[in-house]
Amino acid sequence: MTTRSPVWHPFHQHGLGEAIPLVDRADGALLYTSDGREVVDAISSWWVTTHGHNHPRIVSAIQEQAAKLDQLIFAGWTHQPAEDLARGLRAIMPRELEYVFYSDSGSTAVEVALKMALGFWANIGEPRDRIIVMEHSYHGDTIGTMSVGERGVFNRAYSPLLFDVETVPFPQEGSEQATLDALEAACKAGDAAAFIVEPLVLGAGGMLMYSAGTLREMRAICTRHDVLFIADEVMTGWGRTGALLACEHAGVVPDILCLAKGLTGGLMPLAVTMASAPIYDAHYSTDRSKLFFHSSSFTANPIACAAANANLAIWREEPVLERVAALAEREAQGFARIAQRHPITNMRQSGSIIAMDVDVPETGYLADIGLKMREGLFARDILLRPLGKTLYLMPPYCLTDAQLDRIMTAIDETLTDVL
Ligand SMILES: *Cc1c(COP(=O)(O)O)cnc(C)c1O
């Protein structure tokens, strides 16, 4: 008899009795379970693993740093891995983003961005507190990040605690002007502190994609009305869309940039919020009440920073974007074949992120079809987590042709079963 595990899993309904695989080790795009299965990780362990699991360069950087300096208070103290990482980020990120603030996750990177934006307006003596957001956005699961994200079944129970925001419609192809008009109106209202947006791809909202031209227009509107532009590149950063940042496709530089997931290559939890000089300068003073009031115990953990430095070295020395481009092409070919054989709509792609909707009447994240597909795919040793009827891939960049073929065969068979 097995006893029930005391572990309470995230985004998991334990009451359904779904099997929970126990994973012993990983290598590249593969996960090895304790019962001897070899599973292809086609969603990069929830969008974090960029180059591949257990990348040897990052693993050894972690080992070396752990033996040297494990953890350090970061309020008023510093260490070389954090200094190197901030300079390394400055060298590859847009030059306007001069300052690097560390935290631990995508959610905290966004919380920090929101606090920086309000702190900026408060410290320059023009308090503004309205945040503009885009419909269907996801920015995390803390109270603040849920407030700026899509409201729905995910946060209904907590809605009394969420603060009010101004929401602009998602820029559906053909009706982008409605989004731009709504953004312009919200910016003109005068109390808007910032607009926060996922550039080009709304991830958890259903892998919804919009054009670089719209992103550029939205940036221009914010600039025109002095509203801070926050880019949440927690998912889209680190090559996912075929460029280091999704913002690059639009030639856009945000005032504040959030990065996490792939920052360490996905091996350690670490996040940064990068800010332009005016944001930092508004907090720079001899007045202690103007300092930036945010810290967490593990801010800039040295081991995590060492992992991120190794990730930056990989970006400097290896053809990462070429790898992403080749992967994207193979994904497109595979999905085109699937679309010929099954009822599929809304095929869309941005670099290594490719998505399609299964043509069924059900909608929403909790649509049964999503769970059925997930189970069918897992039975075929593929880790995928459809968002309702949206089936998407976001694999590590090391995915081999044979592994991609395994994914496509499993999708083909699973769709035949469930439809
Ligand atoms: C995952 C995600 C977050 C939250 O990151 P966590 O590390 O899970 O807290 C925020 N924004 C976007 C766009 C994300 O995809």
Side-chain angles (χ1 to χ4, degrees), residues 47 105-108 110 138-141 198 203-204 232 234-235 260-261:
W47 318 346
S105 71
S107 300
T108 56
V110 171
Y138 177 81
H139 297 291
D141 281 335
E198 296 162 84
D232 176 356
V234 169
M235 182 200 76
K261 295 193 168 117

Side-chain angles (χ1 to χ4, degrees), residues 198-218:
E198 296 162 84
L200 301 192
V201 188
L202 275 59
M207 297 300 152
L208 305 176
M209 302 185 189
Y210 62 91
S211 70
T214 305
L215 180 61
R216 192 156 47 235
E217 288 291 318
M218 294 191 302

Side-chain angles (χ1 to χ4, degrees), residues 31-49:
L31 303 173
Y32 297 91
T33 67
S34 61
D35 57 358
R37 295 172 66 175
E38 183 197 88
V39 178
V40 182
D41 184 354
I43 54 164
S44 300
S45 277
W46 245 358
W47 318 346
V48 301
T49 307

Side-chain angles (χ1 to χ4, degrees), residues 75-292:
W77 289 69
T78 198
H79 52 78
Q80 206 55 48
E83 293 294 328
D84 292 345
L85 179 54
R87 286 175 177 79
L89 288 167
R90 284 281 282 113
I92 57 168
M93 293 296 164
R95 72 185 152 68
E96 292 88 339
L97 298 170
E98 294 185 40
Y99 297 95
V100 178
F101 191 92
Y102 290 104
S103 67
D104 317 308
S105 71
S107 300
T108 56
V110 171
E111 296 277 357
V112 163
L114 298 173
K115 287 174 71 173
M116 280 179 177
L118 264 74
F120 167 81
W121 290 111
N123 283 356
I124 67 167
E126 277 181 57
R128 296 190 189 187
D129 57 13
R130 180 70 79 177
I131 306 292
I132 309 171
V133 309
M134 182 181 281
E135 178 192 20
H136 303 311
S137 294
Y138 177 81
H139 297 291
D141 281 335
T142 56
I143 299 292
T145 58
M146 282 191 295
S147 297
V148 293
E150 179 77 357
R151 308 293 167 98
V153 64
F154 324 98
N155 45 41
R156 196 156 291 142
Y158 331 115
S159 60
L161 295 185
L162 306 186
F163 57 77
D164 279 342
V165 294
E166 193 65 43
T167 305
V168 302
F170 175 78
Q172 209 67 261
E173 196 179 343
S175 33
E176 291 91 346
Q177 195 56 43
T179 303
L180 301 178
D181 291 347
L183 180 60
E184 182 109 43
C187 286
K188 270 186 185 159
D191 60 349
F195 173 50
I196 180 165
V197 72
E198 296 162 84
L200 301 192
V201 188
L202 275 59
M207 297 300 152
L208 305 176
M209 302 185 189
Y210 62 91
S211 70
T214 305
L215 180 61
R216 192 156 47 235
E217 288 291 318
M218 294 191 302
R219 200 327 165 204
I221 291 170
C222 290
T223 305
R224 235 176 4 254
H225 296 284
D226 266 342
V227 171
L228 296 175
F229 186 92
I230 304 173
D232 176 356
E233 294 240 21
V234 169
M235 182 200 76
T236 49
W238 304 107
R240 284 291 173 206
T241 69
L244 179 62
L245 297 178
C247 279
E248 289 175 19
H249 294 291
V252 151
V253 176
D255 298 298
I256 304 177
L257 170 70
C258 304
L259 296 171
K261 295 193 168 117
L263 170 58
T264 59
L267 279 78
M268 295 284 290
L270 184 70
V272 294
T273 307
M274 296 186 69
S276 60
I279 313 281
Y280 178 87
D281 292 345
H283 293 83
Y284 186 92
S285 167
T286 50
D287 178 353
R288 294 179 68 214
S289 75
K290 288 193 168 182
L291 64 81
F292 185 50

Side-chain angles (χ1 to χ4, degrees), residues 367-387:
D368 277 339
I369 184 85
L371 185 57
K372 281 191 208 144
M373 288 193 286
R374 185 163 103 207
E375 287 172 346
L377 289 158
F378 179 59
R380 294 172 173 88
D381 294 329
I382 304 297
L383 167 53
L384 274 176
R385 250 184 106 93
L387 293 155

